[in-house]
Amino acid sequence: MRQKLVILAAFSFLLVAVLYSCDNSNTKQTDKTAPEKSETDYLAIGKKMAAETQAVLAKNLVNAINTGGAENALEFCNSNAMLLTDSMAQLLNA
């Protein structure tokens, strides 16, 4: 049981890391002016899409845990996480 929870925690951490990997906030700017408005807009849009997708995945994961425990959640993630992510990409036109 503990091993399954560790796997679930690791999966959750990796999912968050992937969803926020688009963040460019650490890139250096060559001049001291603010970034172009379009760059800021794209970053904000990407963060919003990532947050919405994470919310859908989290809601479904909690439902899977409540329905059948951690084992069911692992099974759910294995078979449905990519499908949900793909459907969110289509829904958000990403």
Side-chain angles (χ1 to χ4, degrees):
M1 175 72 171
R2 183 175 179 198
Q3 182 181 9
K4 290 177 183 177
L5 290 176
V6 170
I7 292 170
L8 182 61
F11 175 78
S12 298
F13 175 77
L14 289 173
L15 179 62
V16 170
V18 168
L19 291 175
Y20 288 100
S21 66
C22 296
D23 186 4
N24 295 3
S25 62
N26 293 332
T27 56
K28 295 180 182 178
Q29 294 178 3
T30 54
D31 64 86
K32 297 185 183 202
T33 60
E36 293 181 25
K37 184 173 173 48
S38 63
E39 288 179 16
T40 304
D41 291 343
Y42 287 130
L43 183 59
I45 291 167
K47 284 183 177 183
K48 183 179 178 191
M49 287 178 176
E52 289 179 31
T53 302
Q54 181 185 16
V56 168
L57 289 169
K59 177 183 172 186
N60 282 278
L61 183 60
V62 168
N63 187 38
I65 291 171
N66 291 336
T67 302
E71 186 174 323
N72 186 46
L74 288 171
E75 201 171 299
F76 169 82
C77 286
N78 188 38
S79 60
N80 296 316
M82 289 304 293
L83 296 173
L84 283 171
T85 303
D86 287 345
S87 66
M88 286 301 293
Q90 289 179 1
L91 178 72
L92 297 172
N93 203 21

